Amino acid sequence: MSKKSDQKPNSPNWPSNALAIHGIERQIQLGELGEIKLPELFPIASPRYLVTYMNSQTGGRIRSSTVVSVTNQSAFRNFVRVAFYWGLGNQVAGSCNYLIPSGYTIDFGSRQIPGEITSLNCVSSPELHFHEGRVVVSSSYPQIAVSSRVIYTEGEKDSQMLSITDSKIVTYGKGNNQAPGAEV
């Protein structure tokens, strides 16, 4: 579990309200908030959503990173796994696990990017530097909301943001235009 020092008190996502800070510090102390190192201790996560495009590059003039935001809408802490897949085949290039408290949104990244662009709560292990493919978002409880974007930057330290594109997200195992509840 993450320790208090692993959280980023000076990041834009850290609250300024004293009561909210106390609540977060208490959740960290209880082990309810933080990156998960031992996913086998938690309920099995089932695939819920497919992000159809992921890009994470650092080798050229234009760099990129994929950020997937997951909001836990269930009444319980929800174990979430974000797996970044190579474009060809079924090989996981990197992944990140997080136990998300009810009502919280966590940002998962394919690689670290400056906090001024977005503060990541969980970064892929290993970080991805020459990858293109897709992302599968799995969770213990189905009540999650997902958004994803590819952030394009320039400069050795991603110092200049060029653009942001949204990636298509579909229900896992369904097609793009599948009506809700319809069988494939």
Side-chain angles (χ1 to χ4, degrees):
M1 295 291 166
S2 292
K3 301 178 289 255
K4 181 178 174 183
S5 61
D6 292 335
Q7 302 303 312
K8 297 179 178 146
N10 296 325
S11 75
N13 291 341
W14 193 264
S16 57
N17 176 298
L19 186 57
I21 292 171
H22 176 72
I24 288 175
E25 288 175 341
R26 181 73 177 136
Q27 284 186 308
I28 293 168
Q29 290 169 352
L30 294 173
E32 294 178 345
L33 180 65
E35 187 173 354
I36 302 303
K37 301 295 183 191
L38 302 171
E40 60 274 1
L41 299 177
F42 299 95
I44 304 261
S46 299
R48 308 286 180 192
Y49 293 100
L50 170 68
V51 177
T52 61
Y53 183 69
M54 179 273 299
N55 194 323
S56 193
Q57 308 284 332
T58 59
R61 185 180 68 78
I62 297 176
R63 299 160 59 95
S64 61
S65 178
T66 298
V67 177
V68 179
S69 297
V70 179
T71 301
N72 178 15
Q73 298 181 82
S74 79
F76 309 100
R77 290 179 292 155
N78 202 348
F79 173 72
V80 174
R81 179 174 195 257
V82 173
F84 299 89
Y85 283 82
W86 286 96
L88 299 173
N90 222 8
Q91 182 181 0
V92 175
S95 67
C96 194
N97 305 313
Y98 212 95
L99 187 60
I100 305 176
S102 179
Y104 278 66
T105 299
I106 298 299
D107 289 326
F108 298 83
S110 61
R111 67 177 183 82
Q112 193 61 257
I113 56 176
E116 295 82 12
I117 295 174
T118 190
S119 291
L120 298 174
N121 305 101
C122 196
V123 177
S124 174
S125 179
E127 287 190 45
L128 308 179
H129 296 281
F130 188 70
H131 298 79
E132 185 175 51
R134 65 194 181 283
V135 179
V136 174
V137 180
S138 303
S139 66
S140 297
Y141 299 103
Q143 298 89 357
I144 58 173
V146 177
S147 68
S148 181
R149 57 220 170 268
V150 178
I151 299 170
Y152 295 92
T153 60
E154 190 173 47
E156 194 172 304
K157 296 185 179 187
D158 302 299
S159 56
Q160 182 178 356
M161 185 163 50
L162 301 176
S163 67
I164 299 175
T165 61
D166 287 337
S167 297
K168 175 81 173 172
I169 299 170
V170 297
T171 303
Y172 191 81
K174 307 273 184 181
N176 278 353
N177 297 319
Q178 192 68 37
E183 295 298 318
V184 176

